[in-house]
Each structure stands twice: as structure tokens, then as C-alpha cells.
Amino acid sequence: MQNSNKLQTQNNKVLVIGGGLGGIRTALDLAEAEKDVVLVDKDYTIGGLMTQLDRTFPTNNCDLCTLAPHLSESNRQEHIELLTMTSVVGVTGEKGNFTATLDTQPRFINLEKCTGCGDCLKHFPECVRFNPGLDHRAPTCMRYPQATPQAFSIDLDKCEDVEALVKICPAEAINADDMVIRREVRCSSIVLSTGASLFDPSELDYLGYAKFPDVVTSLEYERILSASGPTGGKLVRPSNDKQPKKIAWIQCIGSRGLQKGAGSYCSNACCMFALKEAIVTKERFQEDIETTIFYMDMRTFGKDYELYFERAKNEYGVRFLRSRPHSILQLEGSDKLNMIYTVDDSTKQLNEDFDMIVLSTGFKTSEESRKLAADIGIELNSDFFPVTDGFNSVATTKPGVYVAGTFQSPKDIPETMVQASAAACMAATDLPVLDVKVEDTEEEQATERDVSGEEPKVGVFICDCGDNIGGVIDVEALVEEAKNLPFVTVSKAEGHGCSRISMDNIRKTIEEEGLNRVVIGGCSPRTHQAKFQDLIQTAGLNKYLLEIANIRDQATWVHSGKPEETSKKALELLKMAVGAVVKAQPLTDQTLPINKNILVVGGGVTGMTSALRLAEQGFQVYLAEKSDKLGGVARDIIKTLEGNDVQEYLTDIIAKVQGHKNIQIITRAMIVDHSGMPGMFKTGMQSGPQMFYRQIEHGVTIIATGAQPNRPPLYLLDQCASVRTQLETQQFIFTNPEVVKTWENVAMIQCVGSRIPENPNCSRICCQNAIKNALAILEINPDARIFVLYRDMRTYGFQEQYYQKAREKGVIFVRYKADDPPVVEMAGDQVDVTFYDPILSQKVSFTVDNLSLSTGMIADNDSTEELAMIFKLPRTGDGFFLEDHVKLRPVDMSVPGFFVAGTAHSPKLLNESIAQANAVAARAQTMLARDVINLGAASARVDGKLCAACLICVRACPFDIPFINADGYSEIDPAKCHGCGMCVSECPAKAIQLMQFEDDRILAKVEQLLERISA
Amino acid sequence: MKSESRLEKILAAGHLAVTSECGPPRGCKPEDVVTKSKYLEGIVDAINVTDNQTAMVRMSSLAASVIIKQQGLNPLFQVTCRDRNRLAMQADIIGAYSLGIDTMLCLSGDHTKFGDHPQAANVHDIDSMQLLQMVKGMRDDGVFQGGAELKGAPKMFIGAAANPFADPFELRVMRLAKKIAAGADFIQTQCIFNVDKFEQWMEGVRAKGLHKKCYILAGVTPCKSLGAARYMSKRVPGMDVPKEVVDRMASVPKEKQAEEGVNICIETIERLKKVEGVAGFHIMAIEWEEIVEEICERAGLLPRPQV
Amino acid sequence: MEKFEPVIVAFCCHYCAYTAADMAGSQRLPYPTNVKVIQVPCSCKVDALHIVKAFEKGADGVYVAGCLEGDCHFKNGNEKAARRVEYVQKYLDEIGIESERLEMVMMSAGMGYRFAQVATEITEKIRKLGPSPIKTATAL
Amino acid sequence: MITAERKPLEELIEYIKPFKRILLLGCNECVTVCSAGGRKEVGLLASGLQMAMLKSGNNIEIRQHTLERQCDPEYVEELVPMINDADAVMSMACGCGVQEIAMRFKDKPVFPAVNTTFMGASERQGVWAERCQGCGNCLLGETGGICPIARCAKQLMNGPCGGSVTGKCEISDDVDCAWQLIWDRLKSLGLEERYMEITPAKDWRSGGGSGPRKIIREDLAE
């Protein structure tokens, strides 16, 4: 692909810099929306940091299998030009017409020819880059079978006999003369997702990172836990390879301005990262291991993160100490790490031994990224992160250049994914709108031959895959033996089966011999099934009349030194495949035409932003709002923490939405019914003052119903005029500055109605709200004494700077414990606030002129419950809509065609909602770009005659798809079936079959394998 | 007076009645019945004779009652619905009365699951409520449950059990009312350790005036050991032994535990005496009959009044 | 009698175990040839009947390999499969086939080494158990 | 529905030992719904029996068939062509089905493969619980729709015994106290006073006390 001849001169593409998770997401979103992308990464394979993680929070899943398809998919997308080992050396021009200069380092392997066979690695391991990073101090790249591109890279400096190396490649893919290639790419917009580096704690002597091998960073610890890491997943101390008994984590290393060289910001993800590591450690070793986290504030502000924190505490027994460790030493003669620390607000020094200490190191931007930013000409802030628009966090100071992921600001995976999609959305707006769609993919669809009624005629084609198969077993002998298998008409050896020539031969043989079933003996169906399916389709066969016997990965690669047994096994695998393919039936992929209209439910800023983006791309949008006005909660917000004017923004966007010809606004809308399937929904609603009923047809639904300000009857709220929510406080400050001037004492109580048993989650927005209002009060009345009573200050990311500013300006922050909250009493017009001061170690009381309660947000349970019922959407325990995949699909819902954005998803700030709104617009476009949806063929089918309507499938289905229909038997909508087969194996009447994996097909394999024995 | 029962006389005269119980032997040893009942002579007004208690086979309560009667003592004949159908039960009741037994207690019976014949069928032809109704019908109307006339009616003083500690709590007073309506003349309660809860129940009982409609004998039990207290608190369904009681038992050395158990029992009786509507005590000293005298003595319940 | 070579059927879910097998392949991690993989979309697709039939046809061992707990692509198919395997194990005991011949294993897609290790361990275990009683009976 | 559970294999083997050709019959009604004797269980049992017999040196032939409903003579008639090929029939239907086969094929041994257990409902996937004992004189109208006869371990008709603790029966934590359920229902229906009515001793004649029961609908019966 590097050497592809594609024209590089058009300016209708997007340049995405950085092939980590975010970059891949951006590129995929654009490509799926039929936009051309150039994706560059300086590494020789894409995947970034994500591929080094063992498991991810908060589900503790290993996400490799979810991520993997994304990676291989990106290779298959015709709209993506992937340039690995490539860096951007310069950018000129402006929005709509950039020119980027790219340098590609030599890989010495021609990717077009390389089959990923690994012969070069086998013979020249020292000069082929493929090994996993085994040095836990230098995690480089984890290898996994889905590596993209699926090819190796040669380190020519390490190679002594270049000629021999070149010769070893059976595909003649090694090119020793490869050299740096410089090229220019023209593009309309640029997305920077270069990621961030991690803080290097080596300089901090007192932490002993450079001295003691058992002091590791959190990423290194992750690699130690990882099955693919240096220890193969065994948790051992680097110093002595023994299992540690006591592990400590120290938070905020390199963050919150705490150490030399640390960023002034909070690194956002480290608290959860440490929690996850502690939990996974506990999960594996339970009582056997002690885990302690030394922290300043636990910042678990994300969706359901607080529950994760609670679980860590209560279920797993992770110990939490609010503490700043002083130093780590190793005493003479001891193999333990000795930590000196103080706890809470006490000054007493404590001393404790640990076997391992993990430093939760924060993010920082890399020198390379900073330089790139300078080259492109975008402004960076004092912490060297790009300055972005207050209401559009992916827009940099330079029009046409966007930024996503950890290079924008420190963040976790879900937020990276959201920004990646948002950046895709924004980048697409800079592309010229193409009216005519080029239909070039369907040209050579051969007509499908009807094979029903034909006796099976199986063709067996066996690859030698160079030495991979041919070097281990006698392929010719196998071909001969295969000829004797039942129904086999043709058996042939095919060299590299996936090479163009072989594919051509196979196609011809199918046509000439009139074959109606095909077995490929070669490599994994996971990587090659689609390719061979396409092939037999061009030969006029239904693509499901194919079986692949994985004789490479499951025989010749894994039984070295036993050629005889390997040959026997290869034959058995072929037999099984032949037996199964004989039972194969032609299947049709489920496809659905797409209705390209969009229904956006909710007319707040989120809904309006999504609607506007999609309307700008030419789609018809219905914007349904249940109240009589657009704007939602934003109508009550005056300014953001950073000082941006919300009302001005709101007025502007309302005007744009109202003025757009592609947007139809429906106010006072109440959704009453819903039917159809993804791509062709019908939603009924009553609207307007008369509640007229109307039905809307649409292909995609965006849920942007928002949340509502919480208003718990606590701390005299609604009983005393001087008690206000933070939202009310802000309005009061702006409308009554003269009153604010008279205030002597002000108190603010955090976590009111949040992080309590009835509402266990953190409301995310309240800490910054308190800081925002405190600063605003001091602006008007610098003498006011402000107490903020908090549990953990969660000013994540750059909010931390405002927190520091508030401290500097004299705002007094006092921590209270959940079981000893402040007490308030009415004192005339004022309020007496009594709380425990941990520094004075006693209760103190103040009479305050204003008490602001940080009440946060809660789901609007009444309306979300009803919508969830009508749309059949899942919700979290606290009533927010649940996304499909917490990490990788944060705005997609489990029901295809549904997306969620804004505070309907969880509490969040305005600019975070806007990012989700843009992300949703990008995700929706990936669906709307197609004319039909292909749902594959692997769905469960019920035989109504056999069904006993027992409901077992209805209950067993993980996705609630089967139902008992009006005829009294179970029905499974193939468009909704996920194809797991659970219902099939549970059905007591054997009335269900999973297409492609029918019982007789699986049993045929069993029978073929064991035939000799039972006969 | 509904019967000739000594227990009824004591209660009718307004004295605090005292009953205790005696489990028949698991074998043909009438002398065991004699020994056990002798401990209670002059100490209690009636001796409950259990009917295959905890679903373990024992000498029939009818036979053991007769042996006690032969000692000149007053048996309280227990009948459960678990083992017999209405024919057998009525036959036994007539038989018992014919042998001079005039006081009985109507129970559902512990489930066979807990006994030594878990294989056995649970009869439950009728339930304890219907048993009360049946005995009352036999006594007051002189008819069998099936409607036929009795030639010579058994003039029984009819008792029933009540457990103020079981769930649903709010039903417990109503259930007592129902038993009274069905025919209960007196009630023996489950062992009381949680006096607060019992008082709460009695409040409900008094609110409905039920204490005026039947006699309520409060059940008490001395714990012989910490183990026994623990067992009752954890293992016996429907038994409410508060943590304080267990803790108190645990706070004394092993050899003093029996003594402490008796102390607790006596304190409980003293407290219960003050509860309006408590007409007497049912002291269940399971396999510890010899202690009943000391308890009665120290609780000021001796000597028993003559009626 | 020739040396006993057990026949072992491994039902592997597409998302994790089958991918782990591929991983073992690309890392060239050796394991015995006795293990034969049958691909299923999810370990929960493996019917009790498939397992029992495999034994009836003469398999010496069977294992079902799914994703790690909590990682199932289809929410909880692997946990369901594990419960089903336990159920079938009891049935095998009733039939008179050692239930150790059937096993549920879990692994992630990246665990090539574990795939090879499991295949090796199970083969060794079955080798020690000897031929399946059904195979022995049919050979008579 | 009627629920059932497969008998231990050992017992079934004893039944079929003397025979060579067995017809194993499933039923697509209740026993399918409770996963005891549908097509799937028939397959599993056939395979299990085959293997168990093989182990003891008997190679038997088992044919499988599942009827729509085994307790109706017309469906049973389907078996005529198959029955001659079989030395014996093993039925996975409930007791009614087994007897129907026995009545129809007088000279063919027939064995039950399941224990017919109770009339119940499916509480959730894989869990069935007793709900009715067919007493022939339904009193659900008086007890808030919860049956104390089928669901109280002591068949108490007038309220909970002293063993009811936090809504559970004294015999097991897995069993709900029927009277707690009844009481909760009465409360939510506002019928608390109904509890005070004493349910008199039950007439068990309708419950089988006067011998095997039969229902005859004159208008339908021929």
C-alpha cells in the first residue's frame, strides 16, 4: 500500500495523524461515511497504547477481541490509505487545501506481497520486528494475530547476511533496497491524534524508580499483569521473580503540579487505572495479596465509575489512604520497599513495607507532538496541549485542524473514542460535498448458480503457504488422500492460495468442474474467510458453500518435529471440513434498505448540535423536543468555568437550527410508539398544543434527552432563601452583584444528593461548578470568605488549574466524611453551617450569607423509563441510557441504529455533551452512507412446526430478540439476531437452528473426525 | 366453667398459672414419664405432653398423658395435625377424655422434614385452626366434625399456640384473634427472649381486647448453655433470641452458663409479670425438668395456689 | 496394542479461544496433534447433545473453550456454557464415562500460550485416563 | 403445566436391559416446556443409554420419536408403524403419556423415563415450582390467588405457622411462605379483613378422596 499508485493530488481527503485507538476510530468513521482518509503512524503497525493494556475498566474486560475487528477492518476499507512508519514533516496551506509532507521509513518488506507467513522471523529472528516487548521497563509493542498491517518489518541494521534474508522469503516480498520515501498529500482537513506520552518518574529520587526494580509505573505493572506481557501474565516482583504480597499505588505522579516537571493538570484516567489494577490483582489473588492506593482525591467521576470505586473498597478490600507518600527507601539487607508517609491531615510520619510500588504516572505531550503542532501552526497552552474552542473541544486555533484523544487533554478510552468520532464529524464538514456517489463496487457481481438438488461436488484446494504448510507436510500426498473423501470431485494443491494467481485457478476449476462446494485447506478463516467467500461468489457459488480447514495455524505451525502426526491431523481437519461443507446450504445475507432521515429526540444543545451537523451534510433531520422551547438545561447556565458565554452560544445555535432547511423542529413532542428495524424505523409522536399524532420514518435515532438538575430536600433547600443550588447561585451572582458584595461568609457543600446510597454515582460537574461560582463571587467581592465542604475534589484535566487558582485566592476547602456531613440550621435570613474541621480536629460553626449546594444531575427517570420502554433501550441502574460498549462504542447503543449523546448518557459538561453530539453525528453518518445494511447470515431460525412455545429461547437470549408470535411459536428477527446460538443449544424441542452453524454441520465434523473409530 | 380442668380453675380464679412440659420417651419406658413428671409435682398446674415433638417418634402423647394422670398430676394433652386425619384425632380426643384428660393443646406440628422419618407423609387433613373448631364443636355442640352426634361430649379446656416472633408480624395478633374465634380458651406462646417484641405484640392483643377473651400463658425457656442459646437463635425457625442474650451467655464462663440461663429466665418472668394480659407462664425446660422448681421458686410462683 | 493416542475435540468460540488458537499458531507454540478444533460462534452454542454425541462416536476427551469470565462477546454465553458443561459432566458420570474427560476452559484472544498449555495438559490428562470406555467397548 | 424430571440412568438401564430395540418417545407438550422430555432430552437420553449399554457389552438399537402430545389417543396412533420394530417403549412423557401408550399397545412393555413431579409454573429460566395440587375445589378466590394447599408445607388454610421467617418457610430458605404471599396479596388488594374468616375443614372428596376422578362434558362427550 505504501507503493500504491493512488493519486495523491486530490484535496478531498482527511489526513489523520496517529494510528492509536482514536486515530483508527476517526479514520473508520470517515471511511465508513465514504470519505477518503490518509492514516499515518510512525510505528510499523497500528494500535497505539491500547494494545499494551491487559484489561480495561470499568468492566475488567480484555478488549482485544472487540478492538481486533476494528484493526483488520481498517485494512479492508477502501477509503483508508494506511501509511505506517511514516511521520509528518511539514504542513502548508489552509482549511480545505492543506499540503502535508510525509516521510516513510523503509520497512524493507513489500506489503503487497507479504503474506505474514513468518519465514523471515523463523530464520532471522534478530532482524525481524515481531517479538512482543519482553522488557517490562520498555513496553514496545504487543503482538497479536490481528496486527495491521499483517506483515513484518525488517531492521536491516541488525542483519548480517542481507542476501540470505531476501532469499528466505517465499513471496519475494523482502526488498533490501527500500528507502525513505517522501511524498506530499493534499487534504481538506487534518486530525491530530498523536496521543500522549507518560510522565517519566526517573528524575524523582525520593520515589526510587530509577534505583529499585520493584518500583514500577502503572503501565509497566499493566504489562506484568498482561498475559502477553514479559512474564506471561504471572505477577512477580521484577527484583526476584517472586509473587508480591503487598502492593501500593501512588497516585498523581507527574500530575496536579505536585512534582518537579509535573503538569499542572489532573491526568484524568489514573485513578481508574489504579483501581482497575488493584481490582484485577485482587481478583487473581484474593486474600493472598494486599493492595493499597495512596491518593489525594479519588477522581472517579465517569459513568458508573463511582460504583467501581465502591466495589474496590467494599467487595475487593482494596485499602485506600488519603496520603502523600514522602519517600521510598530500601533498607540495608531488606528486599522490601519501605515507604514513609503521612495520612490525611495528620503530620505523624508512618512507615510501611511493600513488595512492589506502582507509580500512577500521568500524561504529558511528547516533544514530537509539540513540534508537529508548531509545524502545523496550532497554538499550545502552558502545559503544551493544544488550545481548543470552549464549545468544541476538538477544534484547534487553526481552522481545518482538529485534535482528539490524549493529545487534546488527558483522558480515558471512552472519551478518546468520543472525541475521535467528533473529530471525524468536524473534519468531514471541511470536505467538498460530493453530490454524485460513485457506484463502482457492484460491477462484477456474478449471478449465483442454483445448486439445490445437485449432488454435492466438493473441490478441495490445499495451500502450501510457502514452507508454512508445504515445508512441514507433503501437500501432494494430502491432495491425493483428499481425493478419496466422500463427494470430493477435485483435489488440488494451490501454492499460496491467497495469491492472485491461485485465486484465479480456483475460480476456473470451480467453473470448469461445476463444483458446488469448496474446501480450502490453508490458514485461519478469521483472516481469510471473507477473501475466499468473495472468490467463490465470483465463480457463481453462494458464499456460504465454503469451509476452511485451518491446517496451518492448527497443524503445521504447532506440531513441529512430528511430520507424520501433523499430516494425519491435516487430513482429519480436511475430512471434517468436507463433511461439514456437504451439509452447507446457500444462505442469503440479511440486507435492509436504509431510510436516510434522522430522528433526534431532545432539543437541548446536544440534540441541536447533532441535528445541525447532520443537516449540514444534507440529511433530513426531525428534532423532537418535549417542552415548548429549544435549549434545555443550557438555558439556565450563564458562563462556563473557562468564562465562555453560554447564552450567546445558545442563541446562535438555536437560530441556526431554526433556520436550517433540512431540520424540522417538533416541540411539545411526546413519543408514543415505535416499530421497525435499524435503517427503517417508524416512530409515532403526539405534538403541539393539540397533541396531534404523527408518524416519522427514519433510519437512525439519536437519543439526546438530557438529564435534570437534581433537587434533593437536603440542607434547607427550598426552606431558606439563602440556600441555593449552584445553578441558582450562578444566576444570583450575575443578577444581584450588589447583594454578593455584602456577603461575608459563603459556604458550598459538595456531593449533595450524589455519592449516597440512593444515588451512588458522582455527578461529575459539581466540583468545577463550585470553583466557577467561588471565583465569580471573589471577582465581585474579594473579601468574601468561602468554604467549600467536599469529599473529593474532582477537578479533572485542566479544571485542576482553576481549583489551584481558587485555593490561591483564599477559598477554604474542607473535607467532610460521608458519615459525618455538615449540619445546617436556619439563622434568620442566614444559615449556620457546622462541620468537622480535620485540621483543627474539632467541630466549627459559621453563619453564612449564602449556602450553595452542589446538587448535580440525575436522570429524568419518568421520561427515560418511558422512552426506554418504547424504544426497548437499556438503562443503567440510575436511569441513564446505556451505551453498547462502555469503552469502545461509547455513543452507540446496543440496538443498532440508536445512538446516545449528552447528559442522557451520564452527567457531563456542556463541551463534553457537544463532543458527544458531534461524535454521534459521525457515527450516524457511517450508517447513513450505505444504501443497505448487510447483517450477515448467521442468525437463528425457528421451525414453527417443532416449536413448543416454551419461552426458553425468549429467556435465554442475551439480547431479548425471540418472542412468541401471534401464531403461537417463537420468532427471531434475523435483522436483530446477534448469532450467538444460545437459543439453539437451549431449545428443548430442537426447533431452532443457527444458520452457518447448523447442528448437522457441527455434528458432521464430529462424525468425520471419529468415523474410523465407530465404524 | 367450660371444663373440669385444673388449669382453667387456676386461671379463672385470677392466679398466675404455671405450666411446663414433659417429652415422652422414645421407647417403652413408662418409668421415664413418671420420673420426669415427678419433678413437676406441686410446681406447675398442668404438664404439656408433647405429640411426636420435632417430628421424632415418641410414646404417644395420649399414653404418656394417661401415665401422668395416673400419678395424680394434670397432663396437658398435645395434638398435632401432622400425623393423623380427623378420624384418628377425634377418636384420640374421645379416648383421652374418657381416661380423665380434660386439657389439650391444638397444634399444626413440626414438619416431618426435621424429624427422624422425613420419608413420612404429612397428613394435614385439617389445620390447627380447624382442629380448634372441631374440638370446640365436639365439646359445645356435641357433634363430630362430620356432623354426626356424639354420645357423651369431651369437655376439654382447649389451648392453642401462638408465636409472636414469626412473620408476618402484623398478622400475629390477627391470627391469635382467629384462634380464639375458632375455639381457643387459652394460649401458650413461643419462648420469649425478645421481651420488647413480645410487649409490642401484647399491645396489639390488648388493643383488640383479646387478653380478655382468652388466657395468655407466656412461654419462657432457661438456656442451659451458650451453645443452646446459639442453636435457638440460629437454627430454630420462628425463634427470636436477641444478640444481647447470646452475648450475655457468652460473657460468663462455661460452668456458670446454666446459672446465667436461669437468671435470664427469671428476669424475663419478672418483666412479663408486669405486662397486662399475661395470665401465666409456660416454662419449657427441655430435658431439664428438674430446674423448673428453682425457677418457680425464685420467680415467686410457689407455692401453687389451691383451687 | 499400539500406543494409545487420544482423540480430543475442542469446541472453540470464535472470538476468544479460536483466536487464541491462531495466536498459538503465529507464535509457533507447540501442542499435541490430538486436539481437533471445531469453531463455534460462542461457547454457548455448544449443545449438550454435541458433547454427548462426540463421546458416543468415540472421542476420548472433549473441551469447550470460551472467553474469560466477563469477556463474552455475547454478554454471558461463556458462563452459560460453563454451567452446561458441569451439567453434562454429571450426566457422563451417570453413563459411566469419567467426567474428567469433559472440561470447560476460558481464555482471551491474546492467550496463545494458554491455548497451547491447555491443549497439552488436557491431552496428558486424557492419556493418563486411557481410552474412553465407549471406545474400548466398541473395539470388543 | 405438568413438570417432570428424568429418572436416574441406572434405573432406566435396569428397565431396558432385557431388550434389544427400544423406541424412545418424547412429548412436545409439558415435558418439553420443562426441559424433561422434548426432542432434545430424547436425543441426550438415547445417546446416554446407548453408551451405558455399550459399556456393559450390549449393543442396543434406540429409535427416537417425539409426539405432539402423548396423552391423546389420536397422536399415539402415529406410532403404529414404528411400534412393531421395537421390543419395548420408553416414554419421556408424564405419567399420563406413559399410560396412554400402555393402553394402546397392550403387548408392548412401556417404561417411564421421567418422574412426573407436580403441576407448576416456571419461576424463571430453569426453575419450576409447584403451584397446584388439583384438589378439585379451588379456593384461590379466598386466598388472594395464592394456593396454601400446594404452596404451604403444612397445607395450612388459616394462616402462617410459627415457622414463617422473613417471608420464607421453615422447611427451606428456597421456599416462600405461602401465607406471607397470601397476606401481601390481601393487603395490596385491600382485603385484610378476609383473613379473619375461618376456612373450615376441607372436603377432600373432590381432591381424589373418593377415588380416581373423571370429568365428563355431556355436550362434548360421545
Side-chain angles (χ1 to χ4, degrees), chain A residues 55 61-62 117 143 145-146 524-526 550 554 557-559 569 572 958 980 982 985-986 990 997 999, chain C residues 18-19 22-23 25 28-33 35-37 44-45 47 50 68 70-71 74-75 80 84:
Chain A
R55 289 169 167 230
N61 280 3
C62 131
C117 70
R143 281 301 146 218
Q146 296 89 346
S524 178
R526 283 181 40 265
N550 191 351
Q554 291 176 11
W557 267 359
V558 285
H559 307 311
K569 179 169 175 182
E572 282 166 337
C980 63
M982 174 89 85
S985 53
E986 295 276 285
K990 293 267 94 207
F997 294 94
D999 286 327
Chain C
Y18 195 92
T19 309
D22 279 1
M23 181 88 170
R28 312 296 198 274
L29 302 171
Y31 57 87
T33 54
V35 172
K36 314 288 166 12
V37 171
C44 75
K45 170 70 184 73
D47 200 315
H50 298 162
L68 293 175
D71 285 0
F74 302 103
K75 293 191 182 167
K80 181 81 217 179
R84 191 179 297 145

Side-chain angles (χ1 to χ4, degrees), chain A residues 769-837:
Chain A
N769 254 339
I771 305 277
K772 176 167 78 177
N773 287 340
L775 289 172
I777 292 167
L778 290 177
E779 191 87 353
I780 297 168
N781 175 3
D783 297 331
R785 196 149 55 140
I786 305 177
F787 300 91
V788 177
L789 308 175
Y790 73 100
R791 288 173 59 190
D792 289 280
M793 281 311 286
R794 294 182 167 173
T795 43
Y796 54 92
F798 296 122
Q799 293 171 10
E800 181 71 13
Q801 294 165 345
Y802 294 89
Y803 175 33
Q804 292 310 330
K805 190 168 155 195
R807 291 193 97 110
E808 281 157 24
K809 292 204 163 189
V811 177
I812 302 156
F813 290 86
V814 184
R815 195 165 58 82
Y816 73 86
K817 288 189 173 152
D819 53 9
D820 185 20
V823 175
V824 301
E825 273 169 87
M826 202 114 66
D829 290 345
Q830 294 169 309
V831 179
D832 281 342
V833 180
T834 308
F835 53 89
Y836 179 81
D837 186 328

Side-chain angles (χ1 to χ4, degrees), chain A residues 374-417:
Chain A
D375 286 349
I376 295 175
I378 63 169
E379 223 177 285
L380 299 183
N381 65 20
S382 56
D383 281 307
F384 307 106
F385 285 85
V387 174
T388 54
D389 186 288
F391 292 108
N392 191 350
S393 61
V394 300
T396 67
T397 50
K398 186 171 176 113
V401 180
Y402 305 95
V403 61
T406 48
F407 181 44
Q408 189 268 331
S409 73
K411 59 176 61 68
D412 60 10
I413 295 172
E415 289 183 37
T416 296
M417 296 304 271

Side-chain angles (χ1 to χ4, degrees), chain A residues 111-189:
Chain A
L111 288 180
E112 290 249 298
K113 291 186 184 163
C114 176
T115 59
C117 70
D119 279 359
C120 52
L121 174 68
K122 201 161 82 194
H123 298 283
F124 295 90
E126 68 287 352
C127 48
V128 177
R129 298 189 187 101
F130 191 81
N131 287 320
L134 286 180
D135 174 8
H136 74 278
R137 278 284 166 100
T140 49
C141 53
M142 165 184 167
R143 281 301 146 218
Y144 48 98
Q146 296 89 346
T148 297
Q150 186 141 34
F152 297 83
S153 151
I154 304 283
D155 188 347
L156 214 57
D157 294 343
K158 291 193 179 141
C159 187
E160 281 164 9
D161 187 351
V162 178
E163 215 168 297
L165 174 66
V166 170
K167 276 202 186 123
I168 204 73
C169 179
E172 293 175 4
I174 299 180
N175 169 16
D177 303 327
D178 207 355
M179 56 177 103
V180 178
I181 297 170
R182 169 158 297 191
R183 77 191 89 193
E184 287 190 344
V185 170
R186 293 181 65 197
C187 53
S188 294
S189 47

Side-chain angles (χ1 to χ4, degrees), chain A residues 372-489:
Chain A
L372 182 63
D375 286 349
I376 295 175
I378 63 169
E379 223 177 285
L380 299 183
N381 65 20
S382 56
D383 281 307
F384 307 106
F385 285 85
V387 174
T388 54
D389 186 288
F391 292 108
N392 191 350
S393 61
V394 300
T396 67
T397 50
K398 186 171 176 113
V401 180
Y402 305 95
V403 61
T406 48
F407 181 44
Q408 189 268 331
S409 73
K411 59 176 61 68
D412 60 10
I413 295 172
E415 289 183 37
T416 296
M417 296 304 271
V418 167
Q419 277 197 337
S421 290
C425 172
M426 296 312 297
T429 58
D430 298 334
L431 293 172
V433 178
L434 296 174
D435 293 330
V436 196
K437 232 186 84 184
V438 194
E439 301 272 343
D440 58 351
T441 44
E442 288 165 34
E443 92 236 65
E444 47 188 346
Q445 273 298 357
T447 45
E448 195 176 298
R449 193 155 66 83
D450 179 13
V451 300
S452 61
E454 286 181 24
E455 181 85 336
K457 285 176 90 174
V458 182
V460 176
F461 301 95
I462 302 170
C463 312
D464 61 26
C465 202
D467 268 355
N468 286 294
I469 297 174
V472 182
I473 58 173
D474 183 347
V475 171
E476 279 306 329
L478 189 60
V479 165
E480 285 309 310
E481 285 179 287
K483 282 183 181 158
N484 302 325
L485 297 174
F487 301 108
V488 171
T489 316

Side-chain angles (χ1 to χ4, degrees), chain A residues 18 60 66 71 173 181 211 221 258 268 317 326 338 413 423 429 499 562 564 619 650 684 761 795 911 914 922 934 982:
Chain A
N60 282 4
T66 326
L71 298 191
I181 297 170
K211 264 184 291 180
Y221 188 75
L258 291 175
N268 186 316
H326 172 272
N338 186 267
I413 295 172
T429 58
S499 68
K562 299 179 194 160
E564 210 171 297
F619 297 103
L650 189 62
N761 267 309
T795 43
N911 63 2
I914 293 169
N934 187 334
M982 174 89 85

Side-chain angles (χ1 to χ4, degrees), chain C residues 18-130:
Chain C
Y18 195 92
T19 309
D22 279 1
M23 181 88 170
S26 49
Q27 296 181 338
R28 312 296 198 274
L29 302 171
Y31 57 87
T33 54
N34 309 60
V35 172
K36 314 288 166 12
V37 171
I38 294 179
Q39 188 186 15
V40 284
C42 173
S43 51
C44 75
K45 170 70 184 73
V46 182
D47 200 315
L49 261 173
H50 298 162
I51 301 172
V52 172
K53 278 278 171 202
F55 282 109
E56 189 187 330
K57 296 285 169 195
D60 298 295
V62 174
Y63 65 95
V64 179
C67 302
L68 293 175
E69 215 165 297
D71 285 0
C72 177
H73 188 82
F74 302 103
K75 293 191 182 167
N76 59 352
N78 53 348
E79 289 157 36
K80 181 81 217 179
R83 288 205 298 276
R84 191 179 297 145
V85 163
E86 253 178 70
Y87 178 81
V88 178
Q89 280 174 333
K90 287 191 200 124
Y91 189 44
L92 291 178
D93 273 335
E94 267 195 275
I95 296 169
I97 298 171
E98 303 89 331
S99 56
E100 302 96 292
R101 292 184 186 274
L102 171 62
E103 214 174 301
M104 175 81 199
V105 292
M106 292 178 172
M107 61 187 73
S108 78
M111 292 180 168
Y113 80 94
R114 177 154 161 78
F115 182 88
Q117 189 188 6
V118 162
T120 310
E121 284 170 8
I122 291 182
T123 307
E124 274 323 299
K125 187 175 76 177
I126 304 291
R127 211 190 287 282
K128 283 204 187 93
L129 280 170

